[in-house]
Amino acid sequence: MFRTKSVEQSIQDTEEPEHALRKSLSAWDLTVFGVGVIIGTGIFVLTGKVAKETAGPATALAFVTAGIVCALAALCYAEFASTVPVAGSAYTFAYASLGELPAWIIGWDLVLEFALGTAVVAVGWSGYVRSLMDNVDWHLPAALQGPDVAGGTFDILAFLLVLVLTVILVLGMKLSANITALVVAIKVTVVMIVIIAGLFFIVGDNYSPFIPDAVNPPASSGWDAPLVQTIFGYEPTNFGVMGIFTAASVVFFAFIGFDVVATAAEETKLPQRDMPRGILGSLLICTVLYVAVSLVVTGMQHYSKLSVSAPLADAFKATGHPFYAGVISFGAAVGLTTVCLILLLGQTRVFFAMSRDGLLPRFFSVTHPKFRTPYRPTILLGVLIAIIAGFTSINELATLVNIGTLFAFVVVALGVIILRRTRPDLHRAFRTPWVPAVPILSVAASVWLMLNLPGETWFRFAVWMLIGIVVYFLYGRSHSRLGRRGRPLGTKAP
C-alpha cells in the first residue's frame, strides 16, 4: 500500500507511444492557464460578499493572506512539477514520495475537486449569460434555466458549455491554450477597466474604518459550525483583525486552480524551467489584481452597501455608470469559460495518470492517435459533469472544492520534505527555499483554513474518501502496474 513509484519510472512511463501526451506548452501558455482558471467567481462575486459580511475594506488583506497560503503551496508544487514532469499533479507527486495508497487518496480527492469545481463554475456562467440575455429581452423557458430558478429543472446552458469545452480538449492542448489566451486577454482587460475606471470614483471616507470593529457572527452549531469551533470551542469573528483570517478562508476559493497548472507538466516543452514560472507567475499576477479590485470596489461604495450577487457591476451602477456594469457582466460570462475549461483539463489529466498506472482501468490511458490527448477520460468525465451541471444545484457542495484543494496542498508539502530525504540525488531544476520550514508552514496554514470549514463539509469529504478507499482495495491495489512488476522498490523497470 505504501510502495513508491520512482521518479525515473514515472518519466519512463510517459514515453510509451500509446500513452504519450504531446508536448506543446510554453511558460507563457502555463501562465495564461493559471490566470485563466484563477480569475473567475472570486473576483466577480466573492469580493463584495466578503467585504460586506466579514472584513470590510480589509478584504484586500484577506486576499493577501490567502495568497500567502497559496504561495507557500506553490513553492512546493513548483519543485515537484520541475522534478517529476508527469501528468497528475499532486497524485503523481504523492506516488513518488508517500506511496501508492496516499497517491490514490489524493487522486480520488482531485477527481472530486475538479468535477465539482467545473460544475459549480458552469452553473455560475449560465447565470451570467441568462442575465445578459435578459438585457436584450431574450428569455429561455423556465424549465431550461436550472434547478436554482423557480420552475427550472435542467440548466441547458451549463450542460452545453461543458460539452463544447470537452470537444475543445479532445482536439488538442495547443487549441485549448490558444482559445484560453484569447479569453484571458478579454477577462484581464475587463479587470483592468474595473481598476482604472474605478479609481476615479473612489471616496476616501469609504475606507474608514479600514478594519471595522469585530462582531460575533450569528450562532451556529452542529454540522453548520466550523470544525475549529466544534473541537476547540474557538468561534471565528466577523470584522476585526481575526475577521481578516475568517475572510481568508472564504476568499481562498478565489485562488483555487493554480495547482491545475501542475497537471500539464507532461505536455510542457521545457517543464524544468517553465513549470515554476507558470505556477508562481500566474499566482503573483492574480494576487495583485485581486488586491487592486478589492481596494477599488470598497473605495467606490461603502462596504455595508455592497451587493453580494454582483458587487463590481452594482458598484458602478451606484455611481451612475451602468455602461461599465454591462462590460463587467460580459467579462464575467466570458471569463468563466476558461475556468471551466482548465478545471476539466486538470481532472482528465489526473484520471489519465491514475489509469496509466493501472489504479483505474487502462482503457482510459490510451491517447488519441491524431491529437495525442486522453480523449476517453475527457469524453467520459465531460459528459458526466455536463449532466451534473444540468440537473444539480451545486451551491452547498462548493465548499468541498475548498477542502479538496487544501488537502492536496498538505500532501504536496509533506511530499517535498520526504522526497528531499529519500532522494537527495535527484536533479531539482527548482528548489523550494528553506526546507522544511516552508513546507511545514504550508501544512499549518492549509490545515488552519480547513478547520474553518463547516463540519458538514468534513463529513461529506470523509464519505467520498471512504468510497475511494473501498474502490482501491477492490480494484486498484490488485491492478496496479507497480505492484505487478514485482520488482524491488527504487530500481528501474526491466
Side-chain angles (χ1 to χ4, degrees):
M1 289 186 295
F2 294 94
R3 54 198 173 203
T4 57
K5 183 179 181 181
S6 70
V7 174
E8 292 83 359
Q9 185 62 56
S10 295
I11 296 174
Q12 183 177 321
D13 286 349
T14 68
E15 298 170 356
E16 299 173 350
E18 192 180 26
H19 307 285
L21 298 172
R22 176 174 293 161
K23 297 182 182 295
S24 60
L25 302 179
S26 64
W28 171 253
D29 293 324
L30 295 172
T31 303
V32 168
F33 272 140
V35 174
V37 72
I38 296 172
I39 295 182
T41 306
I43 202 166
F44 293 115
V45 177
L46 283 181
T47 305
K49 177 179 175 61
V50 170
K52 184 173 184 177
E53 300 176 356
T54 314
T59 297
L61 299 180
F63 276 117
V64 171
T65 303
I68 291 172
V69 174
C70 291
L72 293 171
L75 290 170
C76 300
Y77 269 90
E79 174 170 325
F80 257 127
S82 61
T83 306
V84 194
V86 178
S89 185
Y91 158 76
T92 300
F93 308 155
Y95 213 161
S97 56
L98 300 176
E100 185 171 278
L101 179 59
W104 165 267
I105 290 173
I106 195 63
W108 188 253
D109 161 58
L110 291 174
V111 167
L112 175 70
E113 173 199 337
F114 294 150
L116 290 181
T118 306
V120 168
V121 176
V123 172
W125 175 88
S126 174
Y128 271 109
V129 172
R130 288 198 306 270
S131 175
L132 289 172
M133 291 171 66
D134 290 342
N135 290 342
V136 294
D137 206 26
W138 291 355
H139 307 286
L140 285 173
L144 297 179
Q145 295 188 35
D148 288 325
V149 178
T153 55
F154 182 71
D155 193 333
I156 186 66
L157 293 178
F159 176 80
L160 291 177
L161 172 67
V162 176
L163 289 186
V164 170
L165 297 180
T166 299
V167 172
I168 291 172
L169 286 175
V170 168
L171 293 179
M173 276 294 284
K174 195 60 184 178
L175 173 63
S176 304
N178 291 337
I179 291 175
T180 301
L182 174 62
V183 176
V184 168
I186 296 173
K187 180 160 55 175
V188 172
T189 299
V190 170
V191 172
M192 293 305 297
I193 289 174
V194 170
I195 295 171
I196 295 172
L199 289 173
F200 294 96
F201 309 120
I202 288 177
V203 177
D205 290 344
N206 289 334
Y207 290 131
S208 181
F210 190 76
I211 303 178
D213 294 335
V215 297
N216 292 322
S220 57
S221 60
W223 290 115
D224 294 331
L227 194 65
V228 67
Q229 177 180 332
T230 304
I231 297 176
F232 302 110
Y234 167 76
E235 295 187 29
T237 63
N238 289 339
F239 306 109
V241 174
M242 295 309 297
I244 295 173
F245 295 99
T246 304
S249 67
V250 178
V251 301
F252 176 80
F253 182 84
F255 287 93
I256 284 177
F258 82 85
D259 55 319
V260 180
V261 176
T263 66
E266 192 175 324
E267 294 159 277
T268 303
K269 296 175 184 176
L270 297 171
Q272 289 79 7
R273 183 196 69 185
D274 293 343
M275 287 306 303
R277 293 181 180 181
I279 293 173
L280 298 171
S282 59
L283 182 61
L284 176 62
I285 291 170
C286 293
T287 301
V288 171
L289 291 177
Y290 277 163
V291 171
V293 167
S294 61
L295 288 173
V296 166
V297 74
T298 52
M300 290 175 61
Q301 192 173 20
H302 195 268
Y303 71 89
S304 62
K305 299 179 181 178
L306 285 172
S307 161
V308 172
S309 58
L312 302 188
D314 289 347
F316 277 101
K317 288 180 182 178
T319 58
H321 295 82
F323 168 77
Y324 293 113
V327 171
I328 291 168
S329 296
F330 172 75
V334 172
L336 290 179
T337 59
T338 59
V339 181
C340 286
L341 175 70
I342 301 166
L343 287 174
L344 185 58
L345 159 73
Q347 187 192 39
T348 58
R349 270 47 180 182
V350 172
F351 199 94
F352 168 79
M354 296 172 75
S355 172
R356 189 165 58 188
D357 289 332
L359 301 181
L360 290 172
R362 290 270 289 171
F363 170 82
F364 294 108
S365 65
V366 176
T367 55
H368 194 281
K370 179 180 179 181
F371 304 121
R372 310 310 302 173
T373 56
Y375 68 106
R376 290 174 177 174
T378 301
I379 293 172
L380 171 68
L381 297 170
V383 171
L384 288 176
I385 294 172
I387 294 172
I388 292 173
F391 282 107
T392 312
S393 177
I394 315 273
N395 290 336
E396 292 185 0
L397 299 181
T399 51
L400 274 174
V401 183
N402 275 11
I403 196 170
T405 302
L406 288 165
F407 181 63
F409 286 3
V410 170
V411 170
V412 170
L414 292 175
V416 166
I417 297 174
I418 293 172
L419 203 62
R420 284 281 188 99
R421 293 181 65 87
T422 58
R423 293 297 307 275
D425 57 303
L426 283 176
H427 172 67
R428 292 168 169 83
F430 178 89
R431 298 177 68 88
T432 303
W434 304 308
V435 172
V438 167
I440 290 173
L441 284 173
S442 178
V443 171
S446 298
V447 169
W448 171 252
L449 292 186
M450 290 173 74
L451 290 174
N452 278 275
L453 295 172
E456 184 178 17
T457 299
W458 280 85
F459 175 75
R460 289 171 173 169
F461 181 67
V463 169
W464 177 255
M465 289 294 102
L466 286 174
I467 294 172
I469 291 174
V470 170
V471 173
Y472 171 75
F473 281 106
L474 291 180
Y475 182 90
R477 187 164 182 255
S478 59
H479 289 80
S480 165
R481 291 185 72 198
L482 183 60
R484 288 188 168 190
R485 288 190 178 107
R487 58 187 176 83
L489 294 179
T491 61
K492 294 186 177 181

